[in-house]
Amino acid sequence: MDFRTACEETKTGICLLEDGNQEPFKVRLHLAKDILMIQEQDVICVSGEPFYSGERTVTIRRQTVGGFGLSIKGGAEHNIPVVVSKISKEQRAELSGLLFIGDAILQINGINVRKCRHEEVVQVLRNAGEEVTLTVSFLKRAPAFLKLPLNEDCACAPSDQSSGTSSPLCDSGLHLNYHPNNTDTLSCSSWPTSPGLRWEKRWCDLRLIPLLHSRFSQYVPGTDLSRQNAFQVIAVDGVCSGIIQCLSAEDCVDWLQAIATNISNLTKH
């Protein structure tokens, strides 16, 4: 492959990363002149008291119209957590930046639901009263089931059918955002309680790969098999980027050319 050796390259883009532990997850790559940064999404506190725990507590009041304005997916029967899969655009939990799609629900009003089945969590939320306090933690690597269709688009039985059952891989929203007498746009009149805290989703560094004397490869280790849309970068100290999967072969070539240019410039310097 003929890589260009012009001036240094800077580049940012979204790729998938496979580290061998689970299915590939979305990351952001940022290439600087001497380093390749691999970043993952996380939720951090940007105002208020410093809060270093990965858990947050959000209190939401049930509204006459719209309920809690949330839907959930997941459950212990599939070895996955119960996760917030949908938030009404009118729900103040979203507007105040306290709750996010991809938040795993750990406790409901002090009840530990980490190992509960989907329907058990549904029942706890149905019986939560007019105010619910959720302890949540953002899943940096969003599980694949968040990408599955909603109830109206899939064959799973929705939670409002007479059977009373709900599917852990489809949104359950009856207990959260359904009102039998009003199907208009959801609205809320109160904010979740928040003691001056504000949270934001941000890209945070996952791995930093120094480019000086580093190498990269598209080949599967120990074989002569070349990956079409993927590569890995290995630093001189052995730190590996993991397998970076690009959206297309052209995108992969662009990344390799940019990385090669910067490695070459560092070596000459």
Side-chain angles (χ1 to χ4, degrees):
M1 192 175 294
D2 182 21
F3 293 116
R4 56 180 177 265
T5 56
C7 58
E8 66 191 33
E9 295 278 352
T10 59
K11 184 175 175 65
T12 301
I14 302 297
C15 297
L16 295 177
L17 179 64
E18 180 182 343
D19 58 9
N21 296 325
Q22 51 187 310
E23 65 179 23
F25 57 96
K26 186 168 67 175
V27 295
R28 184 173 73 172
L29 301 186
H30 178 71
L31 176 67
K33 67 177 182 179
D34 59 352
I35 196 168
L36 176 66
M37 289 174 276
I38 303 176
Q39 301 173 321
E40 63 180 351
Q41 246 185 357
D42 200 355
V43 171
I44 63 173
C45 183
V46 296
S47 67
E49 292 295 323
F51 191 80
Y52 301 104
S53 169
E55 299 181 4
R56 285 166 283 120
T57 300
V58 182
T59 300
I60 307 175
R61 296 179 182 87
R62 192 192 303 268
Q63 304 301 308
T64 303
V65 178
F68 294 131
L70 308 173
S71 294
I72 60 173
K73 285 183 179 180
E77 62 267 48
H78 283 268
N79 296 317
I80 51 179
V82 170
V83 176
V84 176
S85 59
K86 186 177 180 182
I87 302 176
S88 166
K89 292 183 179 180
E90 300 297 325
Q91 173 57 267
R92 296 299 181 101
E94 180 187 52
L95 300 180
S96 60
L98 292 173
L99 201 62
F100 300 89
I101 293 175
D103 274 338
I105 300 177
L106 308 178
Q107 295 184 37
I108 302 172
N109 288 344
I111 300 173
N112 189 331
V113 295
R114 287 174 171 85
K115 297 182 179 180
C116 288
R117 297 168 60 86
H118 183 86
E119 187 62 27
E120 291 173 335
V121 176
V122 169
Q123 292 301 326
V124 172
L125 285 165
R126 279 180 175 151
N127 299 325
E130 296 305 307
E131 184 175 271
V132 61
T133 298
L134 304 177
T135 300
V136 299
S137 179
F138 182 68
L139 295 183
K140 300 176 185 179
R141 304 177 185 183
F145 66 79
L146 282 181
K147 304 172 185 177
L148 292 178
L150 305 182
N151 275 329
E152 57 267 27
D153 299 323
C154 66
C156 304
S159 60
D160 57 348
Q161 289 186 352
S162 59
S163 64
T165 61
S166 55
S167 168
L169 298 184
C170 290
D171 287 298
S172 289
L174 170 64
H175 55 291
L176 298 170
N177 58 15
Y178 174 77
H179 190 274
N181 298 323
N182 195 318
T183 57
D184 295 336
T185 303
L186 303 182
S187 62
C188 296
S189 60
S190 62
W191 291 71
T193 57
S194 170
L197 299 179
R198 188 164 66 88
W199 302 81
E200 286 184 4
K201 275 186 182 179
R202 291 189 178 180
W203 291 101
C204 302
D205 291 340
L206 175 62
R207 296 175 191 170
L208 303 177
I209 310 295
L211 294 180
L212 181 61
H213 302 313
S214 68
R215 57 188 175 88
F216 56 85
S217 175
Q218 286 187 275
Y219 286 94
V220 178
T223 74
D224 58 357
L225 299 177
S226 177
R227 302 182 180 94
Q228 293 299 313
N229 302 341
F231 64 92
Q232 58 182 345
V233 182
I234 304 172
V236 67
D237 60 358
V239 176
C240 182
S241 65
I243 300 172
I244 298 170
Q245 299 181 7
C246 300
L247 301 180
S248 66
E250 292 77 13
D251 193 31
C252 185
V253 170
D254 286 344
W255 274 106
L256 290 175
Q257 288 179 333
I259 293 170
T261 295
N262 288 7
I263 291 176
S264 177
N265 289 340
L266 287 169
T267 302
K268 291 177 180 178
H269 180 73

